[in-house]
Structure formats: structure tokens, C-alpha cells
Amino acid sequence: MSILELNEQLYAKKPKIGSADFCICDHCRFYADNIVKNKGLIAFLQSFGIDALKADEVSCYMEDAKYKYYSVDLNYIFSNKEGTFPLSNAKVTISRHSHLIAPNNPPYWMDMQVRIEI
């Protein structure tokens, strides 16, 4: 299986951010409604088989007059890249887990710092 297929399979059953099965707070719904407008980020994530609405954690950590700032984590992913990737209104970091993980869990995690215009 390719990395794309492995991630799609891994996250297929996860609930979507902004849904009743994940969280329907105002910040999660705002993220869910607006993240799809960041075409560069969406394309980058799709190249890994990752849906921006199926993260493990999402948190709005700051808000100003123009933007909401989010930290979005995918705790386990399959990857053939490691590093920090600056994108339009986003920065994605893919790192190898530094601690021992269960043998059937993928060895990488992804952290996204995303800025969404209000």
C-alpha cells in the first residue's frame, strides 16, 4: 500500500471536526467551515491521503481582529518526508515520534499551525 492509501485507511473512520461526533464548539465549526478555502494546505494534505477535517486534535489558541490561529495535530501518520513545510497561512511539521510507540502505529506525527481569516 502507498503512504496515501495507508493514511486514508487510518483516518477513514475518524469523525470530522465540527461534527457532533468530534466537537461542535464555535471554534471547531469555524475551522471546519473555513479550512477548505486554503487550497495549498488542502492539496499538501491530500498528497499524504489526509483530510484536514479528520485531525486528532484542534485548538484555537489565539484570535485577533483579522485571524483565528489554530494548532491542529494528527498523532499518527505514515510519511516518507520529515521537516517543516511553510504554506500559505499555514506551517506543517512532520516529525518522527521520539518515544516508543505500539508496533502497529505509524511512526510519524503531524502538527499544523494554521491562520484563518475571520
Side-chain angles (χ1 to χ4, degrees):
M1 274 189 166
S2 71
I3 286 172
L4 184 134
E5 293 167 321
L6 289 167
N7 283 323
E8 286 175 343
Q9 182 180 21
L10 181 65
Y11 281 88
K13 295 182 181 176
K14 288 214 176 259
K16 290 192 174 203
I17 297 167
S19 72
D21 292 331
F22 187 90
C23 177
I24 56 169
C25 75
D26 290 343
H27 290 300
C28 285
R29 286 196 330 250
F30 182 86
Y31 172 89
D33 291 343
N34 290 281
I35 195 62
V36 294
K37 297 173 186 172
N38 188 329
K39 302 297 184 197
L41 176 62
I42 298 302
F44 180 82
L45 296 175
Q46 286 176 343
S47 73
F48 286 90
I50 294 171
D51 181 341
L53 296 178
K54 291 195 170 185
D56 294 306
E57 300 173 41
V58 61
S59 174
C60 181
Y61 63 88
M62 189 169 70
E63 185 176 337
D64 61 28
K66 284 188 73 173
Y67 297 100
K68 288 188 178 194
Y69 299 83
Y70 287 86
S71 177
V72 183
D73 293 320
L74 290 99
N75 296 330
Y76 297 101
I77 66 162
F78 293 96
S79 181
N80 58 359
K81 297 179 184 178
E82 197 171 355
T84 299
F85 306 90
L87 303 163
S88 175
N89 287 321
K91 178 176 78 170
V92 177
T93 301
I94 300 172
S95 300
R96 188 174 274 283
H97 282 283
S98 59
H99 56 282
L100 294 174
I101 59 172
N104 54 341
N105 283 341
Y108 292 91
W109 62 273
M110 179 182 285
D111 173 67
M112 298 186 289
Q113 299 299 313
V114 181
R115 180 176 75 175
I116 302 175
E117 192 167 357
I118 296 175

